[in-house]
Amino acid sequence: MTEQLPPLSAGGWFRWIWRQFTSMRTALILLFLLAIASIPGSIFPQRGVNPLKTKEWIADSPTWGPILDRLGFFEVYSSPWFSAIYILLFISLIGCVLPRVGAHWRAMRTPPPAAPRNLSRMQSHAILEDADATAVDRAAEYLRAHRWHVLRGETDGTQWVSAEKGYLRETGNLLFHLALILILVGVAIGGLFGWKGNVIVKNGDGFSDTLTQYDVWGGGRFADPAKLPPFSFTLTDFRVEFDRSVAQRGSPKLFEADVAYKASPDAASENARIEVNYPLEVDGAKVFLVGHGYAPHFVVRDSTGEIVYDDTVVTLPQDGNFTSTGVIKLPDASPQLGFDVVFYPTLQPGSIVSAFPAPDFPASYLAAWTGDPGMDTGVPQSVYKLDKTNMSQLGRVPSLLPGQTWTLPNGAGSISLVGYERWASFQIAFDPGKELALIASALALTGLMLSLFVRRRRVWLKVSAGADGSTVVEIAGLNRAEGGDVSGDIQIVTEAVVGKENT
């Protein structure tokens, strides 16, 4: 008959659940779930990064958009379910690692175990003939000199020495897991207190670090937009050159921006150069150069002959050769006007795309519309899209060259392409947790190397009397890691004691 075990008490159930929750298996499962939970953040637009694109995605998907929005798929990294997995992983790792730290500390301060009675059963074993009772002294001296933990003793008239080495293996293992906790802390600090934003600056224009100056801005739950660093900069020169060789045709050879910046309104102006992987750092914030494009300059006159637009329009690249699109919205013109703009840096005759990213033969495609562009509805609009719901097309011109003018049909006015300017895209980011995450990553790598390459092993040496009254010296070793070999340690200790090995 099977013995009936007594039921667990409430405290017993709690201890069992806690042991399961703080096991390494559970931590790995939670880490895997966290990776899966991060996938929607790279698939769906995130409200904190691009609110307009998020709004457009939801509007274009009237069925699934609101459902996914309520589930937090457009704010993944601040959603309750992502935070829950993150916090559970954090607690599980702490509960798993901290008790092991205490146990490892006690193990490092505990002497090695006494020599077993039968050393011949160990992984590696040798009998030394040319040795005497003083072999114990020589072995202990050698092992201590080489930083082994050594214990000497005597059992039933048999002298022995026990030594252990390789505690750094478990130290590295614990360091790796503690570093993972620190990485989580660093990421959490950056996610809660950090912020980042993007802005497009045309050559010669400036930017000041205020919320209204950003095209897109997103911050953590505790990031305060009112406390942004008060720096500013002016884009004094932007340079980009493209490779014209056959193998690398169109790839950028040079991509850099010169800026004049001020750390505060009262500070003196300083010059700096921003390149890829070489950002400008001001008051803890970093300014990265992340993109560039063209801003064609147009002059638009309405039906009265008045100039209603005399400025550049930022166009966004659509392919590797910088075929770029943008819009012009003129709700105050007479009549109300709107233009779809496609800019070709190098127009290829008979083609609808640019042939090369450099401005070898610039031209622009234009489609003119008249009617209400919907800018007075109070609903936010993308500055790169034209709402044509209440508009009708006037006409189009496939290739307007610099210096040319297109007279609009029905006497609606005219539009001239004056030329073009370049713009550069900057990302300004503040991440207070990046230093901690970087240090933790280095510690994790160090811990991983220690846990992979340090071997935990034990060595014993025993001197006993043989049946014929002679002195029998035995030496044995045991590797505490799978697949390890201690024969090399046995050989070295043997040579240290007698100068040769006989088995």
Side-chain angles (χ1 to χ4, degrees):
M1 177 180 292
T2 303
E3 182 180 357
Q4 184 69 32
L5 296 176
L8 286 175
S9 63
W13 276 110
F14 177 80
R15 287 191 295 272
W16 181 83
I17 293 173
W18 177 252
R19 284 196 296 269
Q20 298 300 314
F21 178 66
T22 56
S23 66
M24 185 53 61
R25 178 182 57 192
T26 301
L28 290 174
I29 292 173
L30 289 171
L31 188 62
F32 180 69
L33 289 177
L34 190 70
I36 294 177
S38 303
I39 294 176
S42 60
I43 297 177
F44 300 101
Q46 299 299 292
R47 186 170 280 110
V49 177
N50 196 333
L52 287 176
K53 189 174 182 180
T54 302
K55 187 177 182 65
E56 291 175 2
W57 201 101
I58 296 174
D60 294 339
S61 305
T63 301
W64 284 103
I67 296 175
L68 295 176
D69 192 19
R70 285 193 295 270
L71 293 176
F73 278 69
F74 301 106
E75 294 176 294
V76 168
Y77 306 109
S78 60
S79 63
W81 46 271
F82 187 88
S83 300
I85 299 174
Y86 192 92
I87 293 172
L88 288 174
L89 175 61
F90 188 77
I91 297 174
S92 178
L93 281 174
I94 291 178
C96 175
V97 174
L98 290 186
R100 288 175 58 192
V101 171
H104 181 55
W105 175 256
R106 290 189 295 272
M108 292 179 64
R109 298 170 62 87
T110 302
R117 182 179 298 275
N118 191 348
L119 292 182
S120 62
R121 295 179 179 178
M122 294 298 104
Q123 183 180 12
S124 183
H125 177 254
I127 298 176
L128 313 181
E129 295 181 351
D130 298 334
D132 53 30
T134 60
V136 173
D137 299 323
R138 294 194 297 274
E141 181 181 359
Y142 171 82
L143 292 169
R144 286 195 181 98
H146 289 78
R147 299 184 179 182
W148 289 69
H149 287 211
V150 177
L151 176 67
R152 288 189 59 174
E154 183 175 346
T155 303
D156 298 332
T158 299
Q159 296 187 53
W160 51 263
V161 59
S162 177
E164 187 166 359
K165 193 174 185 180
Y167 291 93
L168 282 178
R169 181 184 181 89
E170 179 64 11
T171 302
N173 198 342
L174 292 173
L175 180 62
F176 174 76
H177 290 93
L178 287 172
L180 288 183
I181 296 175
L182 290 179
I183 290 175
L184 292 177
V185 172
V187 172
I189 292 174
L192 291 173
F193 297 95
W195 52 265
K196 64 180 178 180
N198 290 75
V199 61
I200 289 177
V201 182
K202 290 181 284 189
N203 209 356
D205 288 353
F207 165 80
S208 59
D209 192 28
T210 58
L211 190 61
T212 56
Q213 292 279 295
Y214 283 96
D215 298 324
V216 177
W217 189 89
R221 189 175 298 275
F222 300 116
D224 187 356
K227 295 182 179 179
L228 297 177
F231 69 89
S232 62
F233 67 83
T234 299
L235 180 60
T236 57
D237 189 23
F238 176 73
R239 296 174 298 280
V240 58
E241 295 179 4
F242 299 97
D243 198 325
R244 296 181 180 274
S245 65
V246 176
Q248 301 292 329
R249 181 174 175 79
S251 61
K253 295 194 303 182
L254 179 68
F255 182 39
E256 59 187 21
D258 290 336
V259 298
Y261 72 95
K262 291 184 177 182
S264 66
D266 299 329
S269 179
E270 300 181 61
N271 296 320
R273 178 167 294 173
I274 305 176
E275 303 176 69
V276 178
N277 297 327
Y278 293 94
L280 168 67
E281 185 168 1
V282 186
D283 201 9
K286 289 188 175 182
V287 183
F288 297 89
L289 180 62
V290 295
H292 62 98
Y294 294 94
H297 186 174
F298 293 98
V299 175
V300 181
R301 297 177 184 268
D302 64 6
S303 60
T304 66
E306 295 293 328
I307 295 178
V308 292
Y309 187 84
D310 184 3
D311 201 356
T312 55
V313 54
V314 172
T315 58
L316 301 181
Q318 303 299 310
D319 58 28
N321 286 328
F322 280 71
T323 303
S324 306
T325 62
V327 298
I328 301 174
K329 303 177 185 181
L330 303 173
D332 298 326
S334 179
Q336 292 180 311
L337 296 171
F339 296 89
D340 283 323
V341 178
V342 180
F343 183 75
Y344 310 103
T346 302
L347 178 63
Q348 185 175 1
S351 175
I352 58 173
V353 295
S354 175
F356 193 73
D360 295 342
F361 186 58
S364 182
Y365 162 90
L366 294 171
W369 300 76
T370 183
D372 184 8
M375 298 181 64
D376 298 327
T377 61
V379 179
Q381 284 190 8
S382 170
V383 296
Y384 303 107
K385 287 190 176 182
L386 183 63
D387 185 359
K388 308 180 182 102
T389 305
N390 299 313
M391 304 186 77
S392 58
Q393 189 171 9
L394 283 172
R396 62 187 182 87
V397 59
S399 58
L400 189 69
L401 303 180
Q404 292 183 343
T405 299
W406 176 34
T407 301
L408 301 178
N410 303 328
S414 65
I415 180 170
S416 303
L417 176 59
V418 178
Y420 66 89
E421 293 181 6
R422 290 189 182 273
W423 58 260
S425 176
F426 297 91
Q427 183 179 86
I428 298 95
F430 172 70
D431 185 358
K434 63 181 183 299
E435 288 83 5
L436 178 60
L438 177 61
I439 294 173
S441 299
L443 291 176
L445 182 60
T446 302
L448 184 62
M449 298 293 286
L450 290 174
S451 64
L452 289 176
F453 296 109
V454 174
R455 295 181 299 114
R456 183 83 173 268
R457 66 267 195 203
R458 287 175 180 167
V459 169
W460 297 277
L461 185 141
K462 183 189 295 185
V463 177
S464 59
D468 57 356
S470 62
T471 300
V472 177
V473 179
E474 292 181 274
I475 183 169
L478 176 66
N479 197 309
R480 299 192 62 189
E482 293 184 5
D485 184 14
V486 292
S487 58
D489 294 306
I490 299 299
Q491 178 71 25
I492 293 174
V493 174
T494 299
E495 292 177 355
V497 173
V498 298
K500 64 179 179 178
E501 178 183 4
N502 297 293
T503 58

